[in-house]
Amino acid sequence: MTTDTDQIYRQYAIEEYTPEHEPYYVGVGDEIELFRAAFEQKIPVLLKGPTGCGKTRFVEYMAYQLGRPLTVLKEQGTSATPPMHANGDGQALSVVTVACHEDLTASDLVGRYLLEGDSTRWMDGPLTRAVKRGAICYLDEVVEARKDTTVLIHPLTDYRRLLPVEKLGQIIEAREGFLLVISYNPGYQSALKDLKHSTRQRFIAIDFTYPPREVEAQIIEKESGVDAATSVELAKLGEKVRNLREHGLGEGVSTRLLIYAGKLIAKGIPARRACQVGVVWALTDDAEVQRSIEEVVSSIFE
Amino acid sequence: MERFAERLAAEYDEILGGYPVSLPRDFRQALAELTGTLSEQEQRLWAEDGAALARHSLRSWEAAGEFFRASPALATLMPFPVLRRWAETGRELAEESASLASSYFKAGAEGLGGLSIQQMREWAGLGRQLYKGNWKSSSLASQFFEVSPTLFQQVNLAEARALARFIDTLASRSYELAAACLGIAPKVMGSLQRADRGSFLGFATVVAETSWADARVYFEKGPGLLHHVHQDQRTRFLLLSSAVARKAGRQAYPFFAESASALGQLDNELHNRLLTLAELLAPKSGAAAMEFLKSVPEVLMRVRFDDLDAWHGEGRKILEASEDGGLAFFRLESGKGEEVIELLSARVELVRVGEVLRMYCKALTGTNVSIQAAGALADKGVGWVSTERASTDGTAVFLPPVVEEAGDKGENFAVYKVYATHQAGHLEFESFRMRFERPGALFGNTRIERAGGDGVALTDMERFFDLFEDRKLASDLFTVVEDSRIDYLIKREYGGIRGALRRVQGRELGKRSPVEQMPLRQAAVENLIRISLDGLSSVRWPLGRMETMRQAAGLLRAIQHEAATIEDTAEITLRLYDLLTQVPNVLLDAELEGEWAELGEDDIQLDMMPAGGEGGAPQPGGEGTLGEPGEGEAPYDSPDAPDFRGDFKPELVQLLMRLRGDAKSQGEADGQFAPLTPEQLKELMEKSVEIDISAFVEGDMQMSTGMFLANLMKEAGTPASEKQGQQSGDGQPGEGDEEDTGEPPENPIEYFWYDEWDFRANDYKPRWCRVVQQTLDEGENKFFEKTLVEHAGLVAQTRKQFELMRPELFRKIKKLYDGEEIDLDAVIEFVAERKAGHSGDDKIYWRRNKIERDVAVAFLLDMSASTDEEINRRERGRDDDDFDDDPRRYLAWWAQKRAKELQNPVKRIIDLEKESTVLLMEALETIGDRYGIYGFSGYGRDNVEFYVIKGLDEAFDDKIKKRIDKVVPIRSTRMGPAIRHATMKLDQYDAKVKILFLVSDGRPQDHGYGRDRTEKEYAIHDTKMALNEAKRKGIVPFALTVDRAGHDYLKTMCEDIGYEVVADIESLPSRLPTLYRKLTE
């Protein structure tokens, strides 16, 4: 029985998951060097930027890269070299990703008692596991979470690197390799949900924007498998649509969506149609804005 | 014989002796003439007839006189027995009226020879019919006889019969009109074709019956109008009109006149079909048939004739279901009708696609371009004149109002897109960022070398054009090269539009005028335009001069490069200019110069591509000597510019950009250029070929210049005071300036259009009302302060009430996995369930959740004239009666009232509305709801005035206090559009609770808001619909009125919408905040 299930899916403890292959990421600026330095200096990192511009991918990529000796990292082209393992247990760094939402409370991160029969059992939350394991903990869209989570973040992000577990009456010291990374999308949240300064000022901030046209085309090409010319057109579309931001559109089109469109095209869907379902309809429900973007699409794609 | 006559005359001298002397004289004279024609016997009988007539009654001798006078002529035309019978008829007429008879004879004398005696009798009968026994009818009948001679030159008896019937019918209403019609009848009849006369008169009779007041106008103007209709169809049209008139009554003539002139606007050949379509409608509703004809020209502007049937069919279906609906449809006043036309129509209107194109252009350029109709740019009076051609002024893209180039909508939209893309291309690829000193990416910079001294140019473009002697040629060349560059870059960057662009270019090529008939230099530019339109194969050029064209084409091709910049355009323009000034601008004699040949793709010299600034300059070849320049040359004239590229005015745009203080253009420019003076502007205006001075006010050049400068300044937004200073500084009397400065720039007027609900047609009237939005002027803030003082108690009270609302903002939320505390009840339940063996619900926490108060409210104040009413007046009825005619008591009362009034001026409804608003604002500020306050009034559907007192996103400040002071009664109450406008405003905001609060003093009413002023239903239904629309958008509407009769109509108007009638008007200030609180709790 167990062998059957094992064949069908793979399952990991949350803190043990590591990317198997090297995630694809193209550095646009000096973010790779910055992150590596921060990691080594144990400085928490805040990633700012719009949705779908590669923040999560960047974290995965860095986790993978940080598991390897510095020399290899510098020559990105030679990815064939098998990774060396920095944290001693023969793996790239683990990443624990938590997508924050407005009902996410501190106990969701730290852990809670579960009822089991008439007794209770303590279960560690993802943050606790990452702290114990020494993994990168990535809190995506952190401002969405409840304010009480900041109680946890603060002691973890200064020199103490401690996680208080109130319900157990414990304090856990973060293991070597633990790094708190949070992401934050400045344009998107309402004024109510701005990050507090006392929290903000515990992180260095790396600003992400959509990559320039050529780089984005390269990413689209690599990720979607569509030909180079179409990739350039898709990147161009991305650039044009982003001009419409704050103008009927809350957000510009993400690289991710452009890749999806590219993937559809690679499977033989006509370009205009692929962009319609992959970009236009995904972005907005406003008929007029849809029409406008479709016109841009039809101007770019034949 | 003569002796007999002499005897007869003597005999009758005696008989006729008792009458005035003219009678025997007439007798003698007639007798003398008749002697040859009549026998003695006949003469005697004739004389006896005359005498009998004279004897007949008191004044019948006059008729006898006419009889004698008419006889000689008639006797030659008819045999004597007929003459006698004619006389007999006259005698019969004389029985009715002597004057009638004399008119009858007189008319006979003037020649009715064409009629047989039978006809003559009938004719006499017609006249007699008109005589009703009173003097008015007698004079009408006489008039009938009087006009008969001229009339019968035009008409036959049957027609006369019809005419008489018409006159008779009309006379029963008005003798004056009948007489007037009769007077012009010969002329009118003459202007009609025989075939139409019967039906023309038939319709005339119907008009006389149904709307006699129009009969004369119809009779007079009808033939002219009828000429609009195809001659074979006129009878049919008249029959249709008659059929309609019987139902339409008063509308008969307007329908006829308007549909006739509508038909006149259309091709005659279509009339047959159109009338068939109209006839299909007539049985159900005559009015609809005529409305159909009236609307056809407008509809045909939008749909093809073949599609008209489909439109008609849809309308007919609606008509079958409801006459009002069908009428609205054919009147083009229904949403459904609009939809059908839109569906059938191939043309695309800017108003419909403007928003899409705006976002499209924004996406392309990344800047906030606005899309406007080309007319808007022309109206600014800053150099652009065309209302049809696309253009851009550097910040906005201007497009023609409609496109109907192709037969289907899709293609027409594609044309729009090509227009928009080209203009956006100018912005995206920086056509207006030319820097004189920046080298081109491909061609370097030869401009600097050429510029001898440093000119005093205002802009880089001007400095560039200053290099050329013939600015027009330079400007044309610059335009074609730049357009070529833009089109190339567009094709390269936007693969998807290539197809549409190619089609538009193809059509454009098809429209070019023949190049062979142009003077040579113009032909060269024309050829360049053709090449730029991808029409190399249509280039024609004298074989002997082919080298020039090859070089020119090569230069033009060189700009089609991805790296080419606007500076390269300038460089190529220079080279082309040098090349083309070698070409004499003469009309070529084909025989001398040889054949015109095509230019092949291979012939183009592409080695013109130079590395630096050198190689590009053309070497004037031997051909330059062929024609002696200056001898017999025509001045250079521009070939037509291609439509889709619109107007390209780089010099003006740069000037505007400079005036606007555009950051990029100014940054470097400041040190380079001298400060702007009006003289410079004037000079630029005079030399620039982009400004068509003749388009300004003709004649007074000085004034035109002044106006142009003023417009430019206004467009550029230079502060008024500065402008004034500049103008007075150099003693220029700026004519247009005075008005401009008076205009408050901070209160711009905006227009919005809204549909209106027609409950009869059960459909919307599309874009029916125009809302004119304007921010209210500022007055004093005294009113505001005074109200607060006056109602200090109330203010404190409401404020307290509102403050109480705040703690309620926190609510307990139970049944949570996690929270502030355990909910004991839930725990007990949970434990109990577990004991019982169930799993139970372990959501046992509760927590206080902050409910954010998120309210946006728009208050709509009725500013109609009726709010001017004093409140006391409503009660006066009671007071006035109490004095029992005792003047002393009255005086005492009056003095008391005056004193009171002086202390407390009389309050009007509007004052109370204002006071309530003030109190409410105070209260609202304490709870921080977002609110807007608007007033509305207006007159007619085109002018629904909408005043912004406080915008939803405006902060409350002194300005707003001052605006309240300016709330005054104005005109009518068209509530529908005002509600729709407020709804639109609220809809833009993201709030959990949105409220539309309407405060009025009576029912909605306005000019044209219903069939007539007294009809209530239309206005009430439209208002109701507007309120329902708001509701559908998630807005809570609430109506408050101070009209005591309000319950009547509010019940209908606000079926399931909250409303309240405030019976005691003076309680409004306290009631309004209370109501608001209840509404939002």
Side-chain angles (χ1 to χ4, degrees):
Chain A
M1 282 298 275
T2 42
T3 46
D4 281 353
T5 29
D6 278 345
Q7 280 167 358
I8 293 167
Y9 63 88
R10 284 189 237 167
Q11 138 185 330
Y12 304 91
I14 187 168
E15 70 276 25
E16 280 163 13
Y17 173 75
T18 54
E20 202 171 306
H21 304 288
E22 181 182 359
Y24 176 75
Y25 182 83
V26 182
V28 178
D30 58 352
E31 71 269 24
I32 295 171
E33 289 78 26
L34 281 174
F35 194 95
R36 170 172 279 278
F39 175 77
E40 281 163 6
Q41 295 291 345
K42 300 191 175 65
I43 307 171
V45 177
L46 163 66
L47 305 180
K48 275 208 287 194
T51 183
C53 68
K55 298 188 296 281
T56 308
R57 177 62 64 90
F58 174 67
V59 174
E60 281 182 15
Y61 173 79
M62 286 315 296
Y64 188 87
Q65 290 296 343
L66 288 171
R68 305 165 61 190
L70 193 63
T71 46
V72 182
L73 181 75
K74 286 221 162 157
E75 301 166 46
Q76 284 174 24
T78 57
S79 57
T81 320
M84 306 280 284
H85 311 298
N87 58 349
D89 48 4
Q91 282 280 319
L93 281 182
S94 304
V95 184
V96 174
T97 303
V98 181
C100 301
H101 54 85
E102 53 191 9
D103 277 334
L104 187 98
T105 60
S107 38
D108 289 328
L109 287 175
V110 175
R112 60 156 54 91
Y113 283 108
L114 295 180
L115 283 163
E116 219 170 55
D118 274 344
S119 63
T120 57
R121 183 171 66 86
W122 172 258
M123 193 170 139
D124 280 342
L127 183 61
T128 314
R129 288 171 178 223
V131 167
K132 287 179 175 172
R133 166 91 186 186
I136 293 177
C137 183
Y138 176 45
L139 303 180
D140 202 356
E141 300 293 358
V142 73
V143 279
E144 288 288 347
R146 284 277 169 70
K147 294 285 168 269
D148 59 353
T149 53
T150 50
V151 179
L152 306 173
I153 292 172
H154 285 196
L156 263 180
T157 46
D158 52 25
Y159 66 95
R160 293 172 285 177
R161 283 168 63 85
L162 294 174
L163 177 69
V165 186
E166 206 181 338
K167 286 188 181 144
L168 292 177
Q170 294 175 341
I171 282 180
I172 306 170
E173 212 172 288
R175 189 174 165 188
E176 183 73 19
F178 171 79
L179 182 72
L180 190 64
V181 180
I182 61 175
S183 79
Y184 164 66
N185 184 348
Y188 162 64
Q189 280 87 11
S190 69
L192 276 170
K193 284 180 175 170
D194 212 354
L195 214 50
K196 275 198 290 188
H197 272 277
S198 56
T199 310
R200 256 185 112 133
Q201 295 196 5
R202 288 163 188 275
F203 297 84
I204 62 152
I206 303 179
D207 211 348
F208 278 69
T209 49
Y210 297 112
R213 197 196 277 191
E214 299 73 33
V215 178
E216 193 166 31
Q218 190 188 331
I219 296 168
I220 295 170
E221 187 183 351
K222 163 83 178 148
E223 288 282 303
S224 67
V226 82
D227 61 80
T230 313
S231 302
V232 173
E233 304 282 80
L234 280 170
K236 193 188 292 169
L237 174 67
E239 184 186 299
K240 299 299 176 195
V241 172
R242 282 168 203 148
N243 281 337
L244 287 178
R245 213 176 332 169
E246 295 143 24
H247 211 282
L249 279 188
E251 289 259 303
V253 58
S254 62
T255 309
R256 181 167 45 223
L257 276 183
L258 295 175
I259 292 168
Y260 289 168
K263 284 182 171 172
L264 293 179
I265 296 170
K267 278 285 165 208
I269 308 283
R272 283 189 180 181
R273 180 68 179 152
C275 291
Q276 191 177 39
V277 298
V279 176
V280 182
W281 292 354
L283 276 178
T284 176
D285 296 324
D286 184 322
E288 195 135 80
V289 182
Q290 280 184 356
R291 173 97 197 269
S292 306
I293 303 175
E294 273 173 23
E295 292 308 332
V296 178
V297 170
S298 69
S299 275
I300 291 175
F301 291 98
E302 268 182 278
Chain B
M1 264 306 205
E2 283 182 17
R3 212 177 303 146
F4 172 75
E6 195 50 47
R7 246 183 313 146
L8 198 65
E11 195 179 315
Y12 273 88
D13 271 346
E14 211 165 301
I15 295 171
L16 301 174
Y19 299 103
V21 285
S22 68
L23 189 62
R25 197 179 61 219
D26 288 342
F27 174 76
R28 269 180 174 278
Q29 201 173 337
L31 186 64
E33 288 175 45
L34 280 169
T35 322
T37 356
L38 300 183
S39 68
E40 291 181 7
Q41 185 63 24
E42 288 167 340
Q43 285 179 29
R44 178 161 292 280
L45 285 171
W46 169 78
E48 184 46 42
D49 283 346
L53 190 60
R55 273 195 303 274
H56 186 271
S57 62
L58 189 62
R59 296 195 46 197
S60 63
W61 64 269
E62 288 169 5
E66 294 294 343
F67 170 67
F68 291 140
R69 274 200 291 267
S71 296
L74 286 171
T76 56
L77 292 172
M78 51 182 85
F80 184 67
V82 179
L83 183 67
R84 283 204 74 196
R85 243 178 291 158
W86 181 68
E88 204 179 306
T89 313
R91 214 156 44 233
E92 283 163 26
L93 281 177
E95 306 214 345
E96 307 277 0
S97 150
S99 63
L100 206 58
S102 52
S103 309
Y104 167 77
F105 287 120
K106 204 164 154 191
E110 283 167 33
L112 279 171
L115 298 181
S116 73
I117 185 62
Q118 194 54 43
Q119 290 171 323
M120 197 90 91
R121 288 182 74 88
E122 200 180 328
W123 167 66
L126 291 177
R128 194 158 149 192
Q129 206 178 12
L130 294 175
Y131 177 70
K132 309 285 185 210
N134 51 31
W135 75 265
K136 274 191 179 175
S137 66
S138 151
S139 83
L140 186 69
S142 305
Q143 194 192 356
F144 176 74
F145 289 126
E146 276 156 27
V147 299
S148 289
T150 37
L151 186 64
F152 276 90
Q153 287 168 10
Q154 308 288 351
V155 304
N156 58 30
L157 193 65
E159 288 156 10
R161 207 180 296 137
L163 177 66
R165 195 182 318 126
F166 161 60
I167 297 293
D168 197 16
T169 316
L170 186 55
S172 69
R173 305 285 189 170
S174 156
Y175 279 104
E176 285 73 20
L177 288 182
C181 288
L182 197 51
I184 56 173
K187 209 178 94 211
V188 169
M189 288 292 126
S191 63
L192 282 168
Q193 286 187 346
R194 178 130 282 165
D196 305 331
R197 287 181 187 164
S199 39
F200 178 83
L201 290 168
F203 181 51
T205 313
V206 176
V207 172
E209 279 163 8
T210 54
S211 58
W212 57 272
D214 289 331
R216 194 205 141 154
V217 187
Y218 163 69
F219 197 69
E220 196 177 344
K221 303 252 172 76
L225 287 165
L226 214 49
H227 273 293
H228 292 314
V229 185
H230 186 277
Q231 54 178 12
D232 297 344
Q233 305 299 333
R234 286 181 196 154
T235 303
R236 205 168 152 203
F237 177 61
L238 285 166
L239 287 178
L240 178 69
S241 299
S242 308
V244 169
R246 293 214 168 79
K247 289 187 207 161
R250 288 236 181 115
Q251 287 289 305
Y253 173 70
F255 271 154
F256 164 81
E258 286 165 28
S259 41
S261 39
L263 285 172
Q265 295 171 37
L266 300 167
D267 185 357
N268 268 355
E269 298 308 313
L270 306 180
H271 291 179
N272 180 15
R273 181 74 196 138
L274 292 176
L275 284 172
T276 309
L277 290 175
E279 280 160 3
L280 284 172
L281 300 173
K284 179 73 190 173
S285 160
M290 298 316 252
E291 295 289 0
F292 163 76
L293 289 177
K294 275 161 64 180
S295 298
V296 163
E298 205 185 320
V299 174
L300 282 184
M301 275 168 68
R302 298 176 53 186
V303 308
R304 285 173 309 148
F305 188 69
D306 298 342
D307 290 328
L308 193 67
D309 277 19
W311 176 69
H312 175 268
E314 283 298 322
R316 200 169 156 205
K317 251 183 260 163
I318 293 169
L319 185 67
E320 293 295 330
S322 128
E323 178 165 5
D324 284 316
L327 273 175
F329 181 95
F330 287 115
R331 249 182 236 144
L332 303 181
E333 288 176 2
S334 88
K336 246 170 269 157
E338 187 60 26
E339 237 171 69
V340 174
I341 293 178
E342 187 54 32
L343 207 69
L344 296 171
S345 167
R347 79 169 185 175
V348 177
E349 290 160 64
L350 185 62
V351 283
R352 288 181 191 276
V353 297
E355 188 56 24
V356 169
L357 289 175
R358 184 178 68 85
M359 274 187 270
Y360 171 77
C361 290
K362 184 176 180 201
L364 256 51
T365 60
T367 54
N368 263 326
V369 277
S370 68
I371 298 276
Q372 292 177 38
L377 184 56
D379 287 347
K380 287 180 180 169
V382 289
W384 280 266
V385 286
S386 169
T387 57
E388 298 295 328
R389 295 169 65 86
S391 192
T392 173
D393 69 348
T395 55
V397 168
F398 297 87
L399 297 172
V402 287
V403 166
E404 39 191 347
E405 233 183 89
D408 77 302
K409 234 189 184 75
E411 180 60 17
N412 278 331
F413 180 75
V415 171
Y416 250 132
K417 214 171 130 181
V418 169
Y419 284 178
T421 311
H422 186 83
Q423 298 305 328
H426 278 309
L427 301 175
E428 188 180 356
F429 305 117
E430 312 203 310
S431 290
F432 306 112
R433 301 281 185 206
M434 220 276 282
R435 303 237 58 84
F436 192 82
E437 270 144 28
R438 185 162 58 200
L442 306 173
F443 288 86
N445 194 341
T446 59
R447 282 153 284 165
I448 299 220
E449 299 163 27
R450 294 200 186 215
D454 42 2
V456 274
L458 291 177
T459 63
D460 286 290
M461 266 333 290
E462 187 190 354
R463 199 169 157 202
F464 173 66
F465 281 134
D466 278 346
L467 297 177
F468 304 96
E469 200 179 321
D470 187 346
R471 265 179 175 252
K472 196 178 214 170
L473 177 63
S475 165
D476 285 350
L477 289 173
F478 188 78
T479 304
V480 65
V481 176
E482 178 60 7
D483 281 338
S484 197
R485 182 180 82 97
I486 297 295
D487 279 352
Y488 172 77
L489 289 174
I490 285 172
K491 280 187 196 164
R492 194 176 164 276
E493 187 82 357
Y494 305 106
I497 209 167
R498 273 177 221 151
L501 183 56
R502 213 170 290 134
R503 287 195 296 279
V504 172
Q505 286 185 336
R507 275 198 289 273
E508 203 69 61
L509 270 175
K511 284 190 273 186
R512 309 302 303 172
S513 348
V515 66
E516 289 92 340
Q517 289 163 23
M518 296 177 185
L520 216 46
R521 196 177 296 156
Q522 189 184 343
V525 178
E526 170 67 24
N527 276 332
L528 288 176
I529 291 178
R530 290 181 182 201
I531 295 171
S532 80
L533 293 171
D534 268 0
L536 188 67
S537 57
S538 67
V539 167
R540 297 287 180 282
W541 190 247
L543 202 54
R545 296 168 179 269
M546 201 49 102
E547 183 55 25
T548 311
M549 205 62 237
R550 270 186 211 132
Q551 286 184 18
L555 279 166
L556 188 64
R557 276 289 163 87
I559 198 69
Q560 301 189 341
H561 188 276
E562 58 180 293
T565 63
I566 178 71
E567 284 81 12
D568 289 313
T569 299
E571 289 299 315
I572 290 185
T573 304
L574 271 173
R575 289 161 175 76
L576 277 174
Y577 182 86
D578 289 346
L579 192 64
L580 293 192
T581 38
Q582 306 288 326
V583 178
N585 198 34
V586 289
L587 268 170
L588 275 197
D589 192 339
E591 288 173 24
L592 282 179
E593 285 281 342
E595 271 176 72
W596 289 55
E598 296 183 20
L599 186 67
E601 182 68 48
D602 304 331
D603 294 335
I604 299 178
Q605 278 189 5
L606 278 175
D607 52 292
M608 300 299 296
M609 190 81 87
E614 300 304 312
Q619 302 303 314
E623 54 189 311
T625 53
L626 274 175
E628 204 60 46
E631 199 175 291
E633 263 191 67
Y636 169 75
D637 206 6
S638 312
D640 298 335
D643 275 341
F644 79 95
R645 287 172 176 165
D647 291 332
F648 178 51
K649 296 181 186 285
E651 194 173 355
L652 261 177
V653 173
Q654 274 207 344
L655 177 68
L656 269 177
M657 275 162 49
R658 165 128 197 255
L659 289 172
R660 281 189 188 116
D662 185 275
K664 271 189 204 163
S665 98
Q666 208 173 30
E668 305 148 57
D670 268 346
Q672 207 172 339
F673 299 112
L676 215 59
T677 69
E679 291 100 325
Q680 284 176 317
L681 275 177
K682 224 176 104 188
E683 190 198 327
L684 170 80
M685 179 190 158
E686 276 155 13
K687 72 183 175 190
S688 174
V689 292
E690 288 172 13
I691 303 160
D692 187 3
I693 296 171
S694 64
F696 289 104
V697 187
E698 279 168 33
D700 192 352
M701 179 66 195
Q702 181 76 7
M703 198 175 139
S704 305
T705 324
M707 247 168 64
F708 173 72
L709 293 181
N711 288 340
L712 258 186
M713 290 296 194
K714 195 162 101 192
E715 183 52 28
T718 317
S721 58
E722 217 173 291
K723 184 177 14 172
Q724 205 68 351
Q726 281 186 359
Q727 290 290 346
S728 54
D730 73 307
Q732 275 263 341
E735 221 84 5
D737 286 4
E738 302 307 305
E739 305 157 18
D740 289 342
T741 46
E743 211 172 280
E746 69 271 20
N747 281 2
I749 295 178
E750 285 179 84
Y751 299 105
F752 301 86
W753 280 266
Y754 293 96
D755 296 352
E756 188 165 280
W757 178 253
D758 182 352
F759 78 104
R760 286 204 181 81
N762 207 22
D763 194 356
Y764 285 101
K765 291 180 172 172
R767 282 170 73 81
W768 193 251
C769 298
R770 188 177 71 164
V771 170
V772 184
Q773 180 186 305
Q774 198 177 1
T775 305
L776 208 61
D777 294 340
E778 286 168 32
E780 307 259 331
N781 62 4
K782 258 192 236 150
F783 182 86
F784 193 93
E785 307 297 344
K786 204 183 89 201
T787 308
L788 288 187
V789 174
E790 237 173 64
H791 294 277
L794 199 52
V795 170
Q797 199 186 327
T798 32
R799 197 181 267 174
K800 203 164 157 196
Q801 276 185 334
F802 271 68
E803 272 165 1
L804 278 175
M805 291 162 78
R806 293 163 110 184
E808 296 160 21
L809 302 182
F810 292 94
R811 299 236 164 93
K812 231 183 205 180
I813 299 180
K814 290 186 179 181
K815 296 254 174 201
L816 295 172
Y817 282 116
D818 198 1
E820 287 173 35
E821 238 176 283
I822 285 172
D823 179 356
L824 212 51
D825 291 343
V827 174
I828 293 168
E829 194 182 340
F830 174 65
V831 173
E833 282 190 1
R834 285 196 60 91
K835 285 271 178 212
H838 299 287
S839 61
D841 185 356
D842 55 354
K843 295 176 184 168
I844 52 165
Y845 282 93
W846 66 262
R847 125 188 121 212
R848 250 185 256 273
N849 209 5
K850 192 181 173 209
I851 308 285
E852 279 155 28
R853 191 178 162 87
D854 190 8
V855 181
V857 57
F859 289 91
L860 261 183
L861 301 185
D862 181 354
M863 286 163 70
S864 62
S866 53
T867 55
D868 202 17
E869 197 176 321
E870 288 169 20
I871 288 148
N872 296 359
R873 198 177 288 160
R874 297 200 170 193
E875 276 104 49
R876 193 185 292 165
R878 261 175 284 146
D879 301 343
D880 277 357
D881 296 337
D882 283 355
F883 306 113
D884 303 332
D885 295 327
D886 181 344
R888 268 170 309 164
R889 273 184 64 197
Y890 174 77
L891 273 176
W893 171 84
W894 186 81
Q896 202 183 0
K897 180 169 173 270
R898 278 299 294 165
K900 219 162 54 185
E901 275 179 15
L902 282 176
Q903 260 177 353
N904 287 321
V906 184
K907 274 196 182 143
R908 302 166 301 169
I909 296 176
I910 193 111
D911 295 324
L912 283 174
E913 276 187 14
K914 283 159 76 175
E915 281 179 14
S916 319
T917 316
V918 169
L919 292 178
L920 195 67
M921 280 163 94
E922 271 295 298
L924 283 171
E925 285 299 321
T926 62
I927 51 168
D929 286 357
R930 185 150 52 183
Y931 65 101
I933 295 174
Y934 307 97
F936 70 97
S937 185
Y939 185 74
R941 66 182 174 103
D942 279 338
N943 191 25
V944 181
E945 293 158 26
F946 192 92
Y947 296 98
V948 178
I949 299 156
K950 178 186 173 299
L952 272 162
D953 41 11
E954 258 180 298
F956 174 69
D957 57 16
D958 218 38
K959 242 193 275 176
I960 284 153
K961 291 182 187 173
K962 286 180 183 166
R963 282 188 204 147
I964 289 193
D965 188 43
K966 284 282 180 179
V967 175
V968 284
I970 306 176
R971 287 202 273 193
S972 293
T973 333
R974 206 182 190 99
M975 284 185 187
I979 292 172
R980 290 190 180 96
H981 189 59
T983 304
M984 189 273 286
K985 286 184 169 295
L986 276 173
D987 200 37
Q988 289 173 346
Y989 284 94
D990 185 26
K992 272 188 200 141
V993 181
K994 298 182 204 173
I995 298 169
L996 177 68
F997 209 114
L998 178 69
V999 184
S1000 74
D1001 76 322
R1003 64 181 174 85
Q1005 124 191 106
D1006 186 19
H1007 172 73
Y1009 208 27
R1011 278 188 179 149
D1012 50 56
R1013 190 81 197 180
T1014 54
E1015 192 207 47
K1016 298 176 190 172
E1017 283 75 18
Y1018 182 93
I1020 287 175
H1021 277 92
D1022 177 52
T1023 310
K1024 178 182 170 186
M1025 193 47 102
L1027 290 169
N1028 278 329
E1029 286 161 24
K1031 217 172 153 187
R1032 256 179 263 141
K1033 290 195 169 144
I1035 294 164
V1036 183
F1038 191 91
L1040 180 71
T1041 181
V1042 294
D1043 181 6
R1044 280 185 208 170
H1047 282 294
D1048 296 346
Y1049 57 87
L1050 279 172
K1051 225 179 277 165
T1052 337
M1053 209 164 87
C1054 307
E1055 230 165 11
D1056 50 354
I1057 285 163
Y1059 71 89
E1060 180 164 316
V1061 179
V1062 179
D1064 177 12
I1065 304 169
E1066 307 218 30
S1067 71
L1068 186 67
S1070 64
R1071 190 67 195 143
L1072 189 59
T1074 315
L1075 265 176
Y1076 178 73
R1077 192 168 60 86
K1078 286 219 171 120
L1079 207 57
T1080 55
E1081 251 170 18

